Each structure stands twice: as C-alpha cells, then as structure tokens.
Amino acid sequence: MSRSFRAETVKLVRRPASWLLLAITLVLSLIFTYVFPYASIAGGTTGPNADRTLPMLLPDRLVGNSLGGLPVFLGSIVLILGVLTVGGEYGWGTWKTVLSQGPSRLEVYAGKLLTLAAAALVVVLAVFAVGAVSSALIAVAESQPVHWPSAGDLLTGIGAGWLMATMWAMLGAVLAVALRAVALPVGLGLVWMLAVQNLLAAIAAPLLDWVAQLQKGLPGPNAGSLAAALGAPGDTPGVAASVGGGQAALVVAGYLIAFAAVGGLLLQRRDIG
Amino acid sequence: MNLPVHTERLTKRYGGLTAVQDLDLTVRAGEVYGFLGPNGAGKTTTLRMLLGLVRPTSGTVRLLGRPPGAGRLGGVGALIEGPAFYPYLSGRDNLRVLARYAGVGADRVSLVLDLVDLTERAGDRYAGYSLGMKQRLGVAAALLKDPRLLILDEPTNGLDPAGMADMRTLIRRLGAGGCTVLVSSHLLGEVEQVCDRVGVISRGRLIAEGSVADLRGATGLRVLADPLEVAAARVGALVGEERVRVVDGGLDLSIEPDRAAWLNAELVDAGVAVRELRPRERDLEQVFFDLIEKGTADVA
Ligand SMILES: Nc1ncnc2c1ncn2[C@@H]1O[C@H](COP(=O)(O)OP(=O)(O)O)[C@@H](O)[C@H]1O
Ligand SMILES: [Mg+2]
C-alpha cells in the first residue's frame, strides 16, 4: 500500500488543479476571516462579517477563526479535491492503466484515501498558518498584545479541522466512485453543501420538527457544531452549536469511515470499463 | 507447465446483450496469438475479464496458471482498448508513477521508452502527444514489468503504416525473446505476419482457430476477360456481387476453383472473351470476412 500511497502523492502534487484549490482555500479564508472584517473595523464600512470586533481577529482566537470555513466553504473545496483524486481515474480512463500494473483495487483506493487524508492535513495547517500570520499582523498594527492559544488548544483545533476536511474529502471520493465521473459528483456535492444544507437549516428545520431532528444527524450540522464548540464565530454560515462538540466529532468521524468504506465496497464490486 | 492464458466457458452478459459466450481460449507458452474479430465482437470484453477489470458472468480464467486474486498479474503486461494516461504528466513521469504500482525500478522506465522509440519526447506532457505516440506509450507501460505474458488490445489503432510496421517488428522481437503475446485486432492483415496462431471471434463466440495458413485454406479464381465490365456484371449476377472484386484489370473471385469450367462457359455465352482463368490464393481479409459471415450465420 505504501507504493500506492507514493504514486498517488505524486499524482496529487504534480496536478495543477490541486494547487489551484489550495490557493483558493487560502485566499478565501484570508479574505473572509481577516481582510473584510478588519477593513470594516479600520474603515468603519459595512460588508460581510463586518460586525466582528477587533478582539475576534486577534491571535488568541486563531483556532475558532481557522475552523469556521470548514463546515461549508472550505469543506466544499476539499470535497472537490476528493472528487478529482478519485474521479480523475474515471474521467481519463486510467483505472485500467493502473490496475493492469498489478495492484488490487483496494490497494489503489487505500492509497488515494491516505493521500487525501494527508492533503486535508496540509490544507488545515496552511489555513492555520495564514490565520496566524494575519492575526499577528493585525495585532501589531493595532498595538494589541499577542496571545497565542495553548498548544493543547491548537492541537485539538488542528485535529478537529483535519477530521472535518478529511470527512468532506471522503464524501467527494465516494461520490466519484458512485457516479464514475468528475463533473456530476462535483456538481451534486456542491449543490448539497451550498444549497440543500442551507435550505434545510434556514427554511425546513424551523418549520418541521422532524427536519430539525434529522439535521442533527447530517454531516454538515455536525461539522458546524464541532467548529462552534472550538470557538468558530457563530455568524459564519454553517457554524451553529446544534449538538455538543464531543458528539459532533464522533458523528463526523463516523461519516468519514462510512464514506470511505462505501466507496471501497462499490469500487471492489463493480466492473471497470 | 502452466498455460499463459486459459479460459473455460467464459461468458459475459450486459443485461440482455451477451458480449462473450462460452469462450474457451488457450494461448500456449512462447507463441504470438492473434485474437481477431470485427468491432463489437467481444475482444476487449474478453481481455478485460482476463485482467480482472470485468467480472465474468460465468466461466473461469487462468493467467499463467493462476486463478483470479491479488498478485495474479505478476509477469503480465497489458494495454487494453487504447492508451489512457495522466494528461498533466510527461510520458516519462506517467511511466514512473506506474512503475511504483508495478513495483519495478526507474531503470525499467528508460528501457521501455527506448524500446518504443519515445525517449526523445518522453519529457513532453502526455496531453500534447499524437495518437501514435500515446499508443506507443501504452505499449511501453505494458512492458514495464518485463512481462512473460503481454496482452495488447488493438495496438496498431491510430498508427500510420510505418508505426504499424514498427509495432509488428516489436511484437515479433518480443515473441522471439520468449514472451507470450496475445494481440487483438479487427484486421487480419495487420497481424497475420506476426502470429503463430489466430483465433477468430464473432458475436462473442470463437468461430475458428488455427495457423494463418490453416485459415486461408480454400482458394478462389482469377479471371482476365474483355470487356471487363460485362464480365464483372455477369459473374456478379451468377455468384453474388460480394464475391467479385475488380483488381489490377482483372477479377478476383471468392468461389471454389473447380467451378472454372462452368464459369468459362457462362462467360463465353455472355459474349465475353476470356483470356485467362486460374486458381488464386484467397485474399486474407476475404477469408476473415467469410469466416465471420459464416459464424454469424451459424449462430443466427
Ligand atoms: N460496459 C458495457 N455495457 C454494455 N455493453 C457493453 C459494455 N462493454 C461492451 N459492451 C458490448 O459488448 C460487445 C462487445 O464489445 P467489445 O468487447 O468492446 O468488442 P470489441 O473489442 O471486439 O470491439 C459490444 O456489443 C459492446 O457494445
Ligand atoms: Mg475493442
């Protein structure tokens, strides 16, 4: 399996789309978490997230601020990465090329999932790093004291972020296997993350009690609860404490494993061709 | 000794369509076996089943004596239904990635690139390759493991005549080097020179098997006559137009040679001057065509 992991890592790292996705992730989190709120504080203007106050942008809020995007926006991007990594083999017809070299399907698939898990960690670490630099700059600019979160909080935050990001990547992977393509899984995944989840939360849940209950079992609201429990700002889309942080972490981990397993099962059973 | 390829009653159905039916295919060690059939005959489906990409509906497959399962493809190299690679990587990097899956060293990559004459362009992105270069890279990938059994599905597709000749030379050389080769094609003429044996598949069934000379078997007639058009029309009306071809100012007929006297009388009756009437070796494509027609008729 390590040979498969190394091969997948090369494919991911050499693929221009991977770096584009990482760049978009960092730019989005920088702009929405720090640039817009800070600009509105500094200039007194209104804009997205403009009601955040200066203490919310300082280094001691790094963990919450870095996790806020993962329930929806950054999660969507990681989902796309998951679809690309697995769906590309269908799109280019390269499953047969790889499998003809002799590895088993599950060996290749496991290599892909490991690579995605590693990529998710890189994304989360990069988001934390960009946040650390941004918040430190703001603190210095505003002559505020620089207090960092404790190492324990940082590790917990990074772990939770990795859990969410990996879960979304696995959702992308299972969608790609199920639909044996790239475009449709990306489209459906984004519709689910950006539209359906919001509609359920904003419209259906307040009207129907059973939808509100059902929501508590879905991956998005659990990721949102996990982020909220670790201090993500409550005005971020998708961040809301509907269940406790510990339960949310367990549910997210459950989805991660379920997505990975279902994808592997489907890939194992179906014909390639 | 283990047979490189051995299938028993191999069958694949897609819903109501039977792509491969009760196929008993045997390829012996060291031979170059031509797996022939028109488009849609079931060649690719069969080869996919050999490699475990497609699960048989029924029947068994053994490659190098091993039943399906992990590790089964040790010693086997394959190119199935056209080359497929990562477009953003160079040819060489594509092979490097595949070499990791195959568990072979990077030295094999340079070696196989040389074998297919792609070294010069190996650093270019795959996306920019011509169809012929892609095909050659596909063959290079199939050779990465230095296979004892090489499975090539229509390797001459997309190649120009020179490329086809190169491919045949390569196959012949590999065959001479002790590698067993199973090569499919929809054109007999493209592979007949390199094949020790050929099998013909039509509508999922093996309808003939043997050496090229075996299959060629019966011969036809060659006719030189004036006026040629009248002769062609007359013979066409007598034996069927599909059996008549105008070649080099004469007629090539796919009919039994012992009908020569009868044909001569018919042509003379029609006012045609027959200059020459002699037996002829049958055209290989015609043999192929006839076999397929016959096989199809048998099945129907
Ligand atoms: N995945 C599939 N689903 C349905 N039908 C298929 C599939 N793959 C092949 N077929 C059908 O099986 C038959 C044999 O196809 P194939 O093996 O590709 O033929 P060949 O390689 O000899 O041209 C064709 O009729 C083809 O349409
Ligand atoms: Mg084919």
Side-chain angles (χ1 to χ4, degrees):
Chain A
M1 192 169 77
S2 79
R3 60 182 186 174
S4 167
F5 173 65
R6 294 217 303 265
E8 290 299 335
T9 309
V10 172
K11 287 193 253 175
L12 183 84
V13 170
R14 299 288 300 277
R15 191 170 179 174
S18 311
W19 296 102
L20 181 66
L21 287 177
L22 181 63
I24 292 174
T25 301
L26 298 182
V27 169
L28 281 183
S29 67
L30 178 68
I31 288 179
F32 284 100
T33 314
Y34 294 101
V35 175
F36 285 159
Y38 182 63
S40 79
I41 294 166
T45 57
T46 53
N49 299 347
D51 49 351
R52 291 190 186 171
T53 54
L54 183 59
M56 297 179 71
L57 302 181
L58 295 179
D60 62 338
R61 306 295 290 266
L62 175 64
V63 172
N65 283 334
S66 300
L67 295 180
L70 281 164
V72 178
F73 294 115
L74 303 189
S76 303
I77 294 175
V78 185
L79 180 141
I80 295 176
L81 189 70
V83 174
L84 290 185
T85 298
V86 176
E89 308 285 351
Y90 292 99
W92 295 314
T94 38
W95 273 120
K96 64 179 184 197
T97 309
V98 167
L99 295 177
S100 294
Q101 296 297 337
S104 72
R105 296 182 191 190
L106 288 185
E107 185 183 343
V108 178
Y109 187 65
K112 285 186 178 300
L113 298 192
L114 270 184
T115 305
L116 282 174
L121 183 61
V122 169
V123 168
V124 170
L125 288 176
V127 169
F128 270 82
V130 166
V133 172
S134 309
S135 58
L137 286 177
I138 290 173
V140 170
E142 298 289 323
S143 316
Q144 299 285 324
V146 177
H147 297 301
W148 295 105
S150 73
D153 287 351
L154 258 182
L155 276 181
T156 310
I158 289 170
W162 174 83
L163 198 63
M164 287 185 266
T166 306
M167 187 264 292
W168 293 126
M170 300 294 139
L171 176 57
V174 70
L175 284 175
V177 174
L179 299 168
R180 291 188 259 211
V182 175
L184 191 57
V186 166
L188 287 182
L190 292 186
V191 166
W192 171 260
M193 301 223 23
L194 302 177
V196 178
Q197 289 200 136
N198 276 333
L199 291 176
L200 283 177
I203 296 175
L207 294 176
L208 299 166
D209 191 47
W210 64 267
V211 175
Q213 289 306 314
L214 174 79
Q215 277 238 81
K216 293 183 182 173
L218 292 178
N222 276 285
S225 301
L226 180 54
L230 295 174
D235 58 356
T236 314
V239 174
S242 54
V243 301
Q247 181 186 335
L250 280 179
V251 174
V252 169
Y255 273 109
L256 188 165
I257 293 167
F259 291 149
V262 171
L265 212 69
L266 278 178
L267 180 65
Q268 183 67 14
R269 294 174 63 103
R270 297 202 292 195
D271 285 347
I272 306 271
Chain B
M1 202 180 87
N2 287 325
L3 289 165
V5 178
H6 187 62
T7 74
E8 275 174 2
R9 302 187 63 78
L10 193 60
T11 300
K12 179 67 183 183
R13 274 189 281 277
Y14 290 110
L17 180 119
T18 304
V20 175
Q21 190 163 5
D22 295 326
L23 189 75
D24 296 324
L25 186 67
T26 300
V27 179
R28 301 178 196 136
E31 75 179 350
V32 178
Y33 186 96
F35 190 43
L36 305 169
N39 288 326
K43 303 181 296 293
T44 299
T45 304
T46 302
L47 301 183
R48 281 182 189 277
M49 284 193 281
L50 294 185
L51 293 172
L53 298 172
V54 163
R55 298 204 195 305
T57 306
S58 61
T60 59
V61 172
R62 279 175 176 268
L63 282 194
L64 299 170
R66 292 185 298 253
R72 188 170 71 96
L73 293 183
V76 181
L79 165 63
I80 301 294
E81 196 164 58
F85 291 93
Y86 305 102
Y88 57 90
L89 294 179
S90 69
R92 176 175 277 114
D93 286 340
N94 265 291
L95 293 185
R96 282 190 181 142
V97 165
L98 294 176
R100 287 195 191 276
Y101 289 115
V104 301
D107 51 323
R108 285 293 304 167
V109 170
S110 309
L111 210 134
V112 295
L113 280 170
D114 257 353
L115 268 178
V116 300
D117 217 4
L118 211 55
T119 304
E120 231 171 79
R121 303 289 304 275
D124 297 358
R125 266 162 40 105
Y126 175 75
Y129 280 12
S130 69
L131 191 52
M133 291 162 70
K134 290 178 176 174
Q135 195 78 349
R136 280 185 280 153
L137 188 66
V139 174
L143 293 173
L144 265 179
K145 279 186 289 185
D146 194 12
R148 276 183 293 148
L149 169 64
L150 181 63
I151 297 175
L152 299 174
D153 190 14
E154 312 235 8
T156 50
N157 264 6
L159 298 185
D160 56 17
M164 285 186 198
D166 286 349
M167 187 65 68
R168 280 193 290 263
T169 308
L170 180 64
I171 291 174
R172 199 180 287 126
R173 199 162 79 212
L174 290 165
C179 180
T180 307
V181 184
L182 169 55
V183 54
S184 84
S185 178
H186 64 279
L187 294 171
L188 175 58
E190 268 184 16
V191 292
E192 44 130 341
Q193 296 121 297
V194 299
C195 292
D196 301 307
R197 281 197 312 144
V198 296
V200 181
I201 182 176
S202 172
R203 296 206 178 174
R205 289 171 179 274
L206 199 64
I207 55 169
E209 197 175 41
S211 69
V212 174
D214 285 347
L215 289 192
R216 184 183 305 228
T219 54
L221 284 174
R222 171 80 179 162
V223 181
L224 297 182
D226 297 308
L228 192 62
E229 297 74 27
V230 179
R234 182 71 187 138
V235 180
L238 284 168
V239 303
E241 278 170 21
E242 74 282 357
R243 295 179 175 281
V244 181
R245 290 199 309 159
V246 180
V247 178
D248 295 336
L251 302 179
D252 277 355
L253 308 182
S254 303
I255 63 171
E256 297 303 316
D258 59 12
R259 297 173 78 183
W262 164 79
L263 189 72
N264 186 41
E266 291 286 347
L267 286 175
V268 170
D269 273 357
V272 173
V274 178
R275 281 189 280 131
E276 192 177 328
L277 184 58
R278 59 175 164 82
R280 166 188 80 85
E281 280 227 311
R282 272 208 302 170
D283 179 83
L284 272 171
E285 292 309 329
Q286 192 64 39
V287 174
F288 189 44
F289 187 76
D290 288 348
L291 270 173
I292 289 159
E293 266 208 329
K294 182 165 148 287
T296 308
D298 287 352
V299 172

